[in-house]
Amino acid sequence: MDRSFLERHRSWEDREAGIGEEFLLPEIGGARTVAVLTRPLGEAHDTGWVVCHSFGGEQMHLSRLEVMVARGLAAAGFPVLRFHGQGYGDSERDAGDVGLASHLADASDAVELMRTQPGVGSVGVLGALFGGTVAALVADRLELPSMALWEPACRGDQYIRRLLRSRVFSEMVEPGEDAQSESGVSMEQLKMDLETKGWADLNGFPLTGRAAREIAVVDLAKDLVRFRGNALVIAVSRSGREGRGISAIAGRLRELGADSHLSTVADPFAGHLGRFHYSKGIDSIFRLATAMVRETVAWARRGTAAVAG
Amino acid sequence: MVAEYPVFIPFDGDHLSGVLTQPEREPRGLVLLMTGIGATRSHRFRLWTRTARRLAVEQDVASLRLDYQGIGDSTGDVREWTDDSTYGQAREAVTFGLRATGASSFAAAGNCLGGRHALRLAGEMPNCVGAVCIRAMLTSADASGAGRAGTAARLATASRKRLRRLRGRPGARAEVMDELTRTALLGALEHARVLFLYSEENRQFLNRAGPSVEQLLSGLPEEQRERFALRVFPGTSLEGFRTLEMQELTIDSVLGWMASSFSAAPSSSID
C-alpha cells in the first residue's frame, strides 16, 4: 500500500475556477466518517458553510445539488463543508440508529469542525428537504447567524407520510414483470411494521419506529424559537408558488426578527428533487439545481456585503 | 479493522472521487465496485460500503468504490453519461487502485451500466480474475439509455407490459446481447469467472438472454464454460436494491464470487 500516493490524491485544486477540495476523515456523531471541505484558493470570507444532508435515500439523490452549491459558494469566496452523517455513505456506523437526533448531532459536530478551519469566524448551515429541516433546527439551537433552506420539510408528520407513500407507490409502479400479485405493500402495513416490528423497509432504507416518531413531531413554524440571523428559504415547485408550510416558516422567521428572504424556483422537474433523476442517463434536475445554486450564492454574497457595509 | 482512504483520481482534466478500502494484511487483490448512473460510490443504502468492508475483513481483499465523472464528489460538468465515457473512467480507476494497493490482480462488480463495465473489464484485461454483473446492460441500446426511466415512464411501461400480457404478446426486443457483450464475455471466460445476477422480475428478459448465453457458451471448452454462472434471485426486484433482503443477497453473492475468483486465480497473478 503506497500511503504517500494516496495522500497526494486526497485533494485537488482548480486554479481557473479558484477553488480546491480536500477529503477529511473527521469524527462526527461519535464515529468516523468522510467529509469534503471545498475552499476558495484566493481571498476568503470568514463565513463558512455546512451542508446538512437529507434523510434516507434522499441523501444520495440530493448529493449533486449539494456539491454544486458547495463549489459555487467556494468560487464566491466561502469555504463549505459536506459530510456523511452516521448511517450514510462512507460513515462508520450503520443506518439502524438514524433519526432526527442523529442528524442534529452530526450536523452540530460538523458546525464545530467548520469553526476550527483556518480563517472561519462564523458558520452558516444549508440543506434541502429534510436537510433543510435539520439546518433550521441546528441554526436555531446553536443561534447561528445564517441558514439557507431549500424546500425544507416543514412538518415532520407530512414528511413521514410522504416517505411511506413513496414506498407504496413504487410497489405499484414496479411489482415485477411476472408478479403474481399486484397488491404490493400498503400504508397500513408499513405503519403496522413501525409499531410491531419497530421498523419499516422504506425502499431499502430501514426507517425505525423511533425515527418516525421523532421526525413526526417536528413543526418548524413552531420549533424555531430563537433564530434572528439571515435566512434564505427557497421554495421549489412546478408552478413557482410556495406551499403553505414554506409560507408559515417565512412568517415565523419574520416574527422572530430574522432577516428572511423567500425565493421561489419554478421548474417542470421540481418533483424530482430528492428522487432518482437520471432517466436515460440524463440529469433531469441540472437546470433546477443551477438555479438554486445561483439564488443561494447571490444571497450569501449580499449577506456578506451587508455585514461589510 | 479496515483502513479507508478517500481519493480524487485525475481523469481527463477532472477528478473522480472514490474510497479505497484496505484490509489489515497485504491484499490478495482489488475489487472495483461500480454503480449504474445516478448512484454515488457507496451506492444506494451503502451497499458498496458494506461490501467493501466485508471484503477487507473476511477475505483480505482491497476495493475501490467509484463516483463517475459529474456524480457524487467527482468533478465534471456532465449532464449526460454514456457507455464509453464511463467505461474509460472505470479503467482509470482500476489502474489507480492497482498502483495504490500494489495488487496485480483485480475483479469488478457493478449493476446496470456498472455491470456492463465489469464484464468488459474482465474481457479486456488479462489480470481480471472475476466479474459480477448485476442486471447488466447487455446491449448498446440499453447502455445508451443508461439509467432508470422516471416514475411516469415506468408507470407507462408497466401498464403496456400488463396489456401485452393480457393480449398474449410479450413484445420483446429481438436483440439480447450486442457484439461488445459477446466479445467481452468470450474474452473474460478465457481467464476470469463471470457471474450474471438477475431477479425473477426479469423473467421475460432471462427467457431471451438465457438461450443466447447458452448458445454462446456451447462452443467453448468445458473449463471456460464452468467459469460462468447465471443466478436468479427469487421474489422482489434487484432494481434499486429496494429491499433489505435483496441488499443482503447481493452482498453475499458478490462476496462469495470474489472469494472463489481470487482463490481460483493462478498464484502468479495474486500478490
Side-chain angles (χ1 to χ4, degrees), chain A residues 1-3 9 64 71 82 87 89-91 174 177-178 182 199 201 203-204 279-281 286, chain B residues 5 8 22 41 45-46 49 53 65 70 73 77-78 99-100 146 148 154 162 165 203 242 247:
Chain A
M1 171 65 66
D2 188 342
R3 285 185 175 76
H9 288 86
R64 194 171 195 208
R71 290 171 183 165
R82 294 176 291 109
D90 302 315
S91 68
E174 290 170 30
E177 285 180 0
D178 300 295
E182 295 181 1
W199 65 278
D201 188 342
N203 285 324
S279 176
K280 302 299 181 187
F286 187 84
Chain B
Y5 302 88
F8 286 111
Q22 168 78 352
R41 62 180 179 264
F45 318 119
R46 293 159 46 91
T49 302
R53 290 171 184 172
R65 48 193 189 271
D73 295 315
D77 186 16
V78 180
R99 162 77 175 82
R148 291 189 305 141
R154 281 183 286 144
R162 284 193 199 101
R165 279 204 301 272
R203 188 157 299 286
R242 281 181 289 134
Q247 292 165 29

Side-chain angles (χ1 to χ4, degrees), chain B residues 238-257:
Chain B
L238 262 173
E239 186 172 359
F241 305 106
R242 281 181 289 134
T243 68
L244 296 164
E245 180 195 5
M246 198 53 79
Q247 292 165 29
E248 289 303 323
L249 275 173
T250 303
I251 294 173
D252 286 343
S253 294
V254 171
L255 259 70
W257 199 254

Side-chain angles (χ1 to χ4, degrees), chain A residues 21-146:
Chain A
E21 276 187 350
E22 177 190 0
F23 274 119
L24 306 178
L25 290 167
E27 191 170 293
I28 281 179
R32 232 182 30 204
T33 191
V34 169
V36 178
L37 179 64
T38 311
R39 51 187 171 75
L41 296 180
E43 207 173 313
H45 299 294
D46 70 353
T47 300
W49 295 93
V50 171
V51 179
C52 305
H53 65 68
S54 194
F55 185 83
E58 291 179 353
Q59 179 262 340
M60 188 181 76
H61 297 316
L62 289 165
S63 62
R64 194 171 195 208
L65 165 66
E66 293 166 358
V67 167
M68 289 169 68
V69 170
R71 290 171 183 165
L73 282 170
F78 299 97
V80 183
L81 182 73
R82 294 176 291 109
F83 66 96
H84 291 170
Q86 292 303 323
Y88 294 95
D90 302 315
S91 68
E92 185 179 338
R93 293 205 184 119
D94 289 332
D97 291 329
V98 168
L100 178 64
S102 69
H103 272 258
L104 293 175
D106 294 346
S108 299
D109 284 355
V111 166
E112 284 314 304
L113 175 61
M114 187 47 135
R115 276 199 228 274
T116 67
Q117 299 306 309
V120 172
S122 67
V123 180
V125 285
L126 316 148
L129 303 183
F130 185 76
T133 310
V134 170
L137 291 172
V138 166
D140 192 72
R141 291 177 189 192
L142 300 181
E143 295 183 74
L144 299 180
S146 311

